[in-house]
């Protein structure tokens, strides 16, 4: 459902933007961003940007660069 993808992506963005992000928050943000990318078919720029932010927050910088295109 498209609303589920939007909700997952919004929550992922909030989690990575918080000033005090825990490792669990970063991991959850990544799972949500991956779910959002899958739900949007992998071609949605906003979803890929969210994934890139979540990957970067998890220290996966090379993957973040690749995801952001």
């Amino acid at each position: 459902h498209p609303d589920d993808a939007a909700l997952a992506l919004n929550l992922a963005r909030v989690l990575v933007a918080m000033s005090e992000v825990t490792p669990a928050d970063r991991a959850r943000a990544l799972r949500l961003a991956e779910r959002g990318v899958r739900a949007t078919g992998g071609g949605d720029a906003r979803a890929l940007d969210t994934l890139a932010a979540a990957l970067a927050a998890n220290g996966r910088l090379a993957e973040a660069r690749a995801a952001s295109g």
Side-chain angles (χ1 to χ4, degrees):
H1 189 276
D3 291 340
D4 294 341
L7 181 61
L9 292 166
N10 287 338
L11 182 52
R13 280 203 174 273
V14 168
L15 287 170
V16 297
M18 293 185 329
S19 60
E20 294 183 26
V21 181
T22 67
D25 291 333
R26 288 190 297 269
R28 184 174 184 201
L30 182 55
R31 287 191 306 274
L32 288 165
E34 289 171 335
R35 183 185 332 165
V37 168
R38 281 192 307 274
T40 59
D44 182 83
R46 182 173 177 273
L48 292 171
D49 285 346
T50 301
L51 177 60
L55 286 163
N58 280 277
R60 295 167 58 178
L61 301 180
E63 291 172 85
R65 281 190 291 278
S68 66

